[in-house]
Amino acid sequence: MDEIRIIEIKKSVFAENIQTADQLRARLKKEGSFLLNVMSSPGSGKTTTLTKVINLLKGELKIGCMEADIDSDVDAKTIAEKTGVESIQLHTGGMCHLDAEMTAQGLDGLQGKHLDLIILENVGNLVCPAEFDTGASASMTILSVPEGDDKPLKYPLMYQVCDLVVINKIDAISFFDFDMEKVEKNIRFRNPKATIIPISAKTGEGVDQLAAWIKKQVKNWKEN
Amino acid sequence: MDEIRIIEIKKSVFAENIQTADQLRARLKKEGSFLLNVMSSPGSGKTTTLTKVINLLKGELKIGCMEADIDSDVDAKTIAEKTGVESIQLHTGGMCHLDAEMTAQGLDGLQGKHLDLIILENVGNLVCPAEFDTGASASMTILSVPEGDDKPLKYPLMYQVCDLVVINKIDAISFFDFDMEKVEKNIRFRNPKATIIPISAKTGEGVDQLAAWIKKQVKNWKEN
């Protein structure tokens, strides 16, 4: 009984969310802002990666950042201090993901800034954020080497919904039992079309490729 | 409107779950099986840690293992192959956590084995599993060094509900910006009573302390 009620509510929540997400995408198109949804496990290096890539892109694109967390404001502060771009913290109030409505509320805080690129750092979680369309123009996930090459087998939806998979902390690869060929095979099993970029946010290796990928997405999106 | 409906459903789900969890605890008490709920982010080393600790304990305690995942059966296979203890895989059907009902279904698969210790490896997720009482006798979470020392600030509930926090991958500490004093302070901020045990599941350092902690919990629980 309860289960059926939950499934019904979930269906209605998902349907409403998709509608809100589509409205948000239309609004962003009108405003000329590309929204990139960044997801990963806790501690995969989302904030460090974003700091590096924003510093490479901020000369060419006007960038804003929304940092979602259940609690604390360490990430928004880090981004603002290390990149100088406009950065706001979104507290989810205990929620394990962001939906399109919460994203829209966050965007209101950045309105009128005429941003080319808005980066949304989602809650660190490989499950729930993959279920909710945020209204983003593209989605990426970060898998860090210490987490292991089997993650795409265990968290299917996350890898299915992402356009880009960044493999982070490759500078630590000799320290961990992580097989680059195996992880690529596992990612392809979930998503044959995903782009894969190995990086080290710490040393900077590969971050230029990530920046180029983002720039290309923004350019293509503006032209279409 | 929808939000209120969701909150009502959530309240009812939580209330029912607590009731089921209490019934499960009573059943486990009667059967003499201590249930340990193991939680963490994806890739923190739950399975490797359990493999090591089970091998230290299996001579003294009769152990069974339940491995929860959204998909794949790699963990149950690993535990069975590397420890020889009874190990079953629970698929959550896309769910981001285990609740008491799902745990009870898993326990049915281990029934009649007269186990002293049943280990439940929850879904890799720092948010949702903390919200659902599984009926466990005790709960622990693993935080691995590469994830960073700020995680207790970002995922409050996980640290509040756990009796034990294991800091894993300490052999890699020189490689990462991780401050042991800071992490202890952050854990204490969320949970002054939690036990903290630093280990390396890879090298085996500290795993004896973890085994001793588990043994003591089982002993105390059997005597009370």
Side-chain angles (χ1 to χ4, degrees):
Chain A
M1 167 68 187
D2 255 320
E3 202 176 330
I4 292 163
R5 265 164 60 216
I6 295 166
I7 291 167
E8 279 168 5
I9 290 282
K10 268 194 122 177
K11 265 190 196 161
S12 126
V13 168
F14 284 139
E16 271 181 47
N17 184 60
I18 289 169
Q19 209 182 352
T20 313
D22 285 339
Q23 287 164 357
L24 193 56
R25 257 186 294 271
R27 170 183 156 186
L28 286 162
K29 193 80 195 169
K30 215 173 135 193
E31 294 175 0
S33 300
F34 182 94
L35 178 64
L36 177 65
N37 177 25
V38 180
M39 299 178 280
S40 84
S41 298
S44 300
K46 288 186 291 303
T47 313
T48 310
T49 302
L50 292 179
T51 302
K52 293 283 172 92
V53 87
I54 289 169
N55 280 328
L56 284 185
L57 289 171
K58 70 183 180 188
E60 298 173 72
L61 299 172
K62 203 167 172 207
I63 303 172
C65 216
M66 302 194 290
E67 297 290 313
D69 253 321
I70 292 169
D71 206 354
S72 97
D73 60 354
V74 290
D75 289 345
K77 273 189 188 161
T78 304
I79 294 285
E81 281 169 17
K82 295 199 174 169
T83 70
V85 307
E86 181 89 17
S87 171
I88 58 172
Q89 186 78 47
L90 306 179
H91 279 170
T92 65
M95 290 285 276
C96 48
H97 64 275
L98 279 186
D99 62 15
E101 181 54 41
M102 292 187 262
T103 307
Q105 284 171 21
L107 284 171
D108 290 341
L110 291 172
Q111 211 162 28
K113 311 275 180 187
H114 306 290
L115 302 167
D116 302 303
L117 170 63
I118 299 171
I119 296 170
L120 170 64
E121 183 178 332
N122 216 311
V123 180
N125 181 340
L126 281 192
V127 191
C128 319
E131 290 183 340
F132 287 86
D133 187 343
T134 55
S137 320
S139 291
M140 63 178 255
T141 190
I142 302 178
L143 168 61
S144 66
V145 161
E147 291 171 65
D149 49 36
D150 60 350
K151 293 301 156 290
L153 301 181
K154 294 184 173 184
Y155 302 91
L157 193 61
M158 177 55 72
Y159 291 87
Q160 282 160 25
V161 301
C162 279
D163 307 288
L164 170 67
V165 180
V166 168
I167 314 285
N168 190 23
K169 307 191 189 177
I170 54 165
D171 57 299
I173 205 159
S174 62
F175 226 89
F176 296 96
D177 181 23
F178 188 95
D179 184 328
M180 199 58 91
E181 273 180 40
K182 206 186 271 177
V183 81
E184 287 190 15
K185 203 180 126 207
N186 291 342
I187 294 166
R188 295 273 169 251
F189 173 62
R190 296 301 182 195
N191 186 344
K193 285 186 187 170
T195 302
I196 302 172
I197 303 179
I199 70 161
S200 164
K202 192 178 169 185
T203 68
E205 190 182 346
V207 179
D208 51 342
Q209 273 178 273
L210 171 58
W213 183 89
I214 295 172
K215 220 167 77 178
K216 195 176 156 198
Q217 302 303 308
V218 176
K219 188 171 172 279
N220 289 349
W221 177 85
K222 289 217 176 201
E223 285 168 0
N224 287 310
Chain B
M1 168 66 187
D2 255 319
E3 202 176 331
I4 292 165
R5 265 163 61 215
I6 296 166
I7 291 167
E8 278 169 5
I9 291 282
K10 268 194 121 178
K11 265 189 195 162
S12 126
V13 169
F14 284 139
E16 272 181 48
N17 185 60
I18 289 169
Q19 210 182 350
T20 313
D22 285 339
Q23 287 164 355
L24 193 56
R25 256 186 295 273
R27 169 185 156 185
L28 287 162
K29 193 80 194 169
K30 214 173 135 193
E31 294 174 0
S33 300
F34 181 95
L35 178 64
L36 178 64
N37 177 25
V38 180
M39 298 178 281
S40 83
S41 298
S44 299
K46 289 187 290 303
T47 313
T48 310
T49 301
L50 292 179
T51 302
K52 293 285 172 93
V53 87
I54 289 170
N55 279 329
L56 284 184
L57 289 171
K58 70 182 179 188
E60 299 174 70
L61 299 172
K62 203 168 172 207
I63 303 173
C65 217
M66 302 194 290
E67 298 289 314
D69 254 321
I70 292 170
D71 206 352
S72 97
D73 59 356
V74 289
D75 290 345
K77 274 190 187 162
T78 304
I79 295 285
E81 281 170 16
K82 296 200 173 170
T83 69
V85 306
E86 181 88 17
S87 171
I88 58 173
Q89 187 78 48
L90 307 178
H91 279 169
T92 65
M95 289 285 276
C96 48
H97 64 275
L98 280 186
D99 61 16
E101 180 55 39
M102 292 188 261
T103 307
Q105 285 171 20
L107 285 170
D108 291 340
L110 292 173
Q111 211 162 29
K113 312 274 181 189
H114 307 290
L115 302 167
D116 302 304
L117 169 64
I118 299 170
I119 297 170
L120 170 64
E121 184 178 331
N122 217 311
V123 180
N125 180 340
L126 282 191
V127 191
C128 320
E131 290 183 342
F132 287 86
D133 187 344
T134 55
S137 320
S139 290
M140 63 177 256
T141 190
I142 302 178
L143 168 61
S144 66
V145 162
E147 292 170 64
D149 49 37
D150 60 349
K151 292 300 154 293
L153 301 181
K154 294 183 172 184
Y155 303 90
L157 193 61
M158 177 55 72
Y159 291 87
Q160 282 160 25
V161 301
C162 279
D163 306 288
L164 171 67
V165 180
V166 168
I167 315 284
N168 190 23
K169 307 190 189 178
I170 55 164
D171 57 298
I173 204 158
S174 63
F175 227 89
F176 295 95
D177 181 24
F178 187 95
D179 184 328
M180 199 59 91
E181 274 180 39
K182 206 187 271 176
V183 81
E184 287 191 13
K185 202 180 128 208
N186 291 343
I187 294 166
R188 297 269 169 254
F189 173 61
R190 295 300 181 195
N191 186 343
K193 285 185 186 172
T195 301
I196 302 171
I197 302 179
I199 70 161
S200 164
K202 191 177 170 186
T203 68
E205 189 183 347
V207 179
D208 51 342
Q209 272 178 274
L210 171 57
W213 183 88
I214 294 172
K215 221 167 77 178
K216 195 177 157 197
Q217 303 302 306
V218 176
K219 187 170 174 279
N220 289 348
W221 177 85
K222 289 218 177 202
E223 286 168 0
N224 288 309

